């Protein structure tokens, strides 16, 4: 079946640094990928829609200058958390849609010290 | 009030029991998803429904569009079914990944 991978699976960084998270569709092309985050004991929330070859669409309340999204190829979208702060610590998950199924990546747990 | 409500929040069952998890929503939808999230966080898509009923192995999902309600059933539950089950809806006119998620139902199946 279709697989979506994420890298890294976890990352710990110092406050003020930038962190890049990769989302890959391994056996299918995805013109659109989605980025979500999940704070502890809360629901997943859509952050942005990543569109191959064009600008991402951000949900209300998500700073586009802080969460940079690049979808340079049909199989790769990256999310860069710039100048990370402790409040950005969260579980970040990507997904891609194929046929009638939404495929989710395994997630990246970000801890900002 | 959340747009997607799940019940119960937590559920403990004995192995072999029949499990039902409910999801109600208040928005117009194009599809409803049932997802399974394991303790490590990874999410697996179980079903995507826009009408009727789907079955996969011991899992059955139903949706009633008029009542804006869906149920996920697990027959002959097993400890490996222990996970958080999440209902998510794709709204009418929204993109397929623009999902509104419920808070999840934490299922624990005891041997």
């Amino acid at each position: 079946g279709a697989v979506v991978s994420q890298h890294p699976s976890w990352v710990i960084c110092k406050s003020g640094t930038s962190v890049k998270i990769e989302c890959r569709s391994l056996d299918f092309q995805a013109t659109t990928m989605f980025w979500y985050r999940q704070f502890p004991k809360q629901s997943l929330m859509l952050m942005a829609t990543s569109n191959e070859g064009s600008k991402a669409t951000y949900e209300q309340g998500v700073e586009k200058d802080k969460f940079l999204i690049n979808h340079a190829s049909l199989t790769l979208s990256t999310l860069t958390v710039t100048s990370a702060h402790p409040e950005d610590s969260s579980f970040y998950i990507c997904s891609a849609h194929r046929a009638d199924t939404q495929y989710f990546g395994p997630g990246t747990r970000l801890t900002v010290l | 009030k959340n747009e997607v409500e799940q019940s119960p929040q937590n559920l403990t069952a004995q192995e072999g029991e029949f499990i039902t998890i409910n999801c109600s929503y208040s928005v117009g939808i194009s599809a409803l998803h049932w997802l399974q999230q394991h303790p490590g966080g990874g999410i697996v898509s179980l079903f995507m429904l826009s009408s009727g009923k789907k079955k996969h192995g011991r899992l059955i999902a139903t949706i009633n569009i008029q009542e804006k309600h869906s149920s996920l059933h697990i027959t002959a539950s097993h400890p490996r079914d222990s996970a958080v089950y999440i209902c998510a809806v794709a709204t009418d006119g929204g993109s397929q990944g623009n999902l509104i998620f419920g808070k999840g139902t934490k299922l624990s199946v005891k041997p």
Side-chain angles (χ1 to χ4, degrees), chain B residues 25 29 49-52 63-69:
Chain B
Y25 53 92
I29 70 168
L49 293 165
S50 53
S51 65
I63 187 168
N64 185 318
I65 298 294
Q66 286 73 31
E67 294 186 3
K68 295 190 173 180
H69 181 269

Side-chain angles (χ1 to χ4, degrees), chain A residues 34 36 38 41-46 49 59 91 93 95 97 99-107 109, chain B residues 2 33 35 37 39-45 47-48 54 86 95-104:
Chain A
F34 306 92
Y36 311 87
Q38 184 179 37
K41 300 189 187 302
Q42 293 193 24
S43 307
L44 284 150
M45 295 283 289
L46 179 68
T49 302
E59 295 302 301
F91 190 60
I93 305 173
S95 78
H97 196 90
D100 62 352
T101 302
Q102 193 81 6
Y103 293 95
F104 289 84
R109 190 162 301 281
Chain B
N2 293 331
H33 297 256
L35 311 170
Q37 185 171 31
I43 292 178
V44 174
S45 178
F47 295 104
M48 182 171 119
K54 284 189 177 181
I86 300 170
S95 69
Q96 290 157 334
N98 192 344
L99 302 175
I100 303 173
F101 295 85
K103 292 189 174 181

Side-chain angles (χ1 to χ4, degrees), chain B residues 3-4 23-27 29 32 63-65 68-69 89:
Chain B
E3 291 164 305
V4 179
C23 175
S24 296
Y25 53 92
S26 58
V27 295
I29 70 168
L32 181 142
I63 187 168
N64 185 318
I65 298 294
K68 295 190 173 180
H69 181 269
V89 300

Side-chain angles (χ1 to χ4, degrees), chain B residues 12-34:
Chain B
T12 300
Q14 285 298 127
E15 183 173 357
E17 284 184 0
F18 180 82
I19 305 286
T20 296
I21 299 170
N22 296 298
C23 175
S24 296
Y25 53 92
S26 58
V27 295
I29 70 168
S30 58
L32 181 142
H33 297 256
W34 280 103

Side-chain angles (χ1 to χ4, degrees), chain B residues 49-95:
Chain B
L49 293 165
S50 53
S51 65
K53 176 179 174 177
K54 284 189 177 181
K55 184 176 190 291
H56 185 252
R58 295 181 294 107
L59 302 178
I60 303 166
T62 64
I63 187 168
N64 185 318
I65 298 294
Q66 286 73 31
E67 294 186 3
K68 295 190 173 180
H69 181 269
S70 176
S71 293
L72 175 69
H73 306 285
I74 305 175
T75 61
S77 59
H78 191 276
R80 64 174 174 266
D81 297 326
S82 298
V84 175
Y85 292 83
I86 300 170
C87 170
V89 300
T91 57
D92 268 338
S95 69

